[in-house]
Amino acid sequence: HGVAGRGGTSGPAWPGPAADMEPEEKVAAAPVPVDALSGLRITNVWTVLLSIQWSEPWLIGLLTFHILCFALTLITTRFYRLQIAHFLFMIVLVYCAEYINEIAAMNWRLFSIYQYFDSNGMFISLVFSTPLLINTMIIVIMWVYRTLAEMTELKALKQKKKANREQGKKTS
């Protein structure tokens, strides 16, 4: 889906060549984009994260959302059904990330200074989906740990029961 070109994306773009470059220079600079705001060459995930204006209110809201999701992940460790609902909610959000990216690309001027929503989904994958997936991985790890602990406890109970039976046979 070519979302970056939808909704009239003229104006500040992210990431991309400096706005004052001629079209020929933009094509020549395309293999290694330069963030117009910071002047950083976008070569890896770290430079992408550094080029984001984290002071924008909607990004502060997104960070707050991720902190709340992480807190809920930790709080729900004792409430299995609530944790399942939380897990499924985060998986559905990750599944919908492509659609969210398309809608955000068309309407970015309503909430953002810069057009972060590229057609490849790099931005939304980094700042939206990755934290949610990390939360879901934490939950899965907790489930595996809990399952292994239960299996170990069950095995110990079976051995104890077997030992008690054998003890009863010896005394008879």
Side-chain angles (χ1 to χ4, degrees):
H1 305 271
V3 294
R6 292 185 189 166
T9 57
S10 62
W14 175 90
D20 58 343
M21 290 179 136
E22 294 298 317
E24 296 81 24
E25 290 174 281
K26 287 182 181 180
V27 172
V32 182
V34 176
D35 176 49
L37 182 68
S38 65
L40 292 173
R41 289 207 171 275
I42 307 297
T43 57
N44 57 38
V45 172
W46 185 247
T47 55
V48 168
L49 292 173
L50 287 175
S51 69
I52 296 170
Q53 280 289 278
W54 294 104
S55 60
E56 287 196 49
W58 74 275
L59 285 170
I60 293 169
L62 183 63
L63 288 172
T64 304
F65 168 75
H66 286 310
I67 290 167
L68 291 174
C69 279
F70 181 69
L72 193 57
T73 297
L74 297 178
I75 291 168
T76 59
T77 57
R78 303 255 185 244
F79 308 100
Y80 190 66
R81 290 181 186 192
L82 183 59
Q83 193 171 56
I84 290 171
H86 178 55
F87 177 84
L88 292 174
F89 173 71
M90 289 188 296
I91 291 296
V92 167
L93 285 177
V94 170
Y95 177 77
C96 294
E98 182 179 358
Y99 306 110
I100 294 169
N101 190 54
E102 288 181 19
I103 292 167
M106 289 186 283
N107 300 299
W108 66 271
R109 284 187 182 92
L110 299 174
F111 59 90
S112 182
I113 298 170
Y114 296 99
Q115 164 52 306
Y116 292 104
F117 304 95
D118 58 305
S119 60
N120 295 326
M122 169 78 106
F123 175 77
I124 200 155
S125 294
L126 282 175
V127 301
F128 182 74
S129 297
T130 300
L132 293 174
L133 289 172
I134 290 170
N135 270 317
T136 59
M137 286 179 12
I138 290 169
I139 290 173
V140 168
I141 290 167
M142 287 191 295
W143 287 347
V144 169
Y145 175 78
R146 190 177 305 147
T147 301
L148 291 175
E150 293 289 328
M151 289 173 57
T152 304
E153 187 177 326
L154 183 62
K155 183 69 174 177
L157 287 173
K158 282 185 178 181
Q159 288 176 343
K160 186 176 182 181
K161 189 175 181 180
K162 184 179 176 183
N164 286 342
R165 269 196 311 238
E166 288 176 6
Q167 189 72 11
K169 288 181 183 178
K170 288 183 183 178
T171 58
S172 303

